[in-house]
Amino acid sequence: MAQSLEGGPPARAFHESAVVEDKMFVWGGGTSLDGPYRSRLDLFSVNILTEEWSSHKAHVRSPETPPPCWDAAATCTGNTIYTHGGRTSWSPFRVSDELYKLMVEEMRWRRVTTRRTKPAGRHGAAMCSVDGKLLLMGGYGLLASEKKHPQAEYKENTGSEGNGWNNELFE
């Protein structure tokens, strides 16, 4: 049976979450309870052992923090949480192609830059960490068929008007 924990985040859908040690972190997502659908820009954690929620100031908008978005991919490795993409606007259709990390011990976000070509913007993708590498698969966004990334495995892209599902696998 589900239990509502006091002091938790406002209701939301398509949020991101990740577990580090005994805490589950929740951020982003969206809500339409009080009007039009809009993205959230907040960060909470719940201590899994004590069931106590905390709100964190680490999610103040800056170039180093993820934009308000929903349906981004997230994973963690050690004490660092990574998030990629997410939908940043309902109309017009906009998705992020950025990768960010939250250093949990410092409660500080940083934008991650890479030497490789970054994956196309998308939402609804899955991400995991294996042996210190981040793997990102699928999602819906701008079709990347014109951009052949050397580290991506291309399958079929489907969609219309320049948007669609993809089967890119990035390492």
Side-chain angles (χ1 to χ4, degrees):
M1 183 164 117
Q3 180 182 5
S4 176
L5 303 178
E6 285 188 39
R12 65 193 62 221
F14 306 113
H15 55 279
E16 294 73 53
S17 66
V19 175
V20 175
E21 296 178 0
D22 58 359
K23 292 185 180 168
M24 181 176 75
F25 292 85
V26 177
W27 69 98
T31 183
S32 63
L33 295 176
D34 53 355
Y37 197 86
R38 59 174 218 244
S39 300
R40 307 238 16 131
L41 181 65
D42 49 15
L43 174 66
F44 291 86
S45 67
V46 61
N47 183 307
I48 297 166
L49 304 175
T50 65
E51 299 182 352
E52 292 179 27
W53 283 94
S54 298
S55 176
H56 300 280
K57 301 289 185 204
H59 217 85
V60 176
R61 187 71 184 117
S62 81
E64 295 296 313
T65 61
C69 69
W70 65 93
D71 209 15
T75 191
C76 63
T77 179
N79 287 331
T80 303
I81 297 172
Y82 292 89
T83 186
H84 176 270
R87 190 153 180 185
T88 58
S89 173
W90 187 264
S91 181
F93 179 82
R94 288 193 185 122
V95 289
S96 172
D97 64 355
E98 298 294 337
L99 175 67
Y100 296 89
K101 66 180 179 179
L102 175 65
M103 297 163 286
V104 172
E105 291 177 359
E106 302 171 29
M107 289 309 298
R108 198 161 127 181
W109 286 102
R110 286 283 176 243
R111 184 188 312 232
V112 177
T113 56
T114 66
R115 293 175 293 205
R116 302 173 108 179
T117 304
K118 62 184 170 182
R122 66 193 67 205
H123 69 97
M127 185 164 55
C128 66
S129 173
V130 179
D131 295 330
K133 294 181 182 179
L134 299 178
L135 300 175
L136 179 69
M137 174 65 183
Y140 188 87
L142 303 175
L143 293 178
S145 58
E146 300 302 316
K147 298 179 183 179
K148 294 297 184 186
H149 300 293
Q151 71 272 26
E153 175 185 338
Y154 283 84
K155 302 287 188 190
E156 179 183 353
N157 284 314
T158 59
S160 61
E161 298 181 27
N163 303 323
W165 295 103
N166 68 66
N167 284 334
E168 298 172 323
L169 174 63
F170 283 88
E171 179 182 315

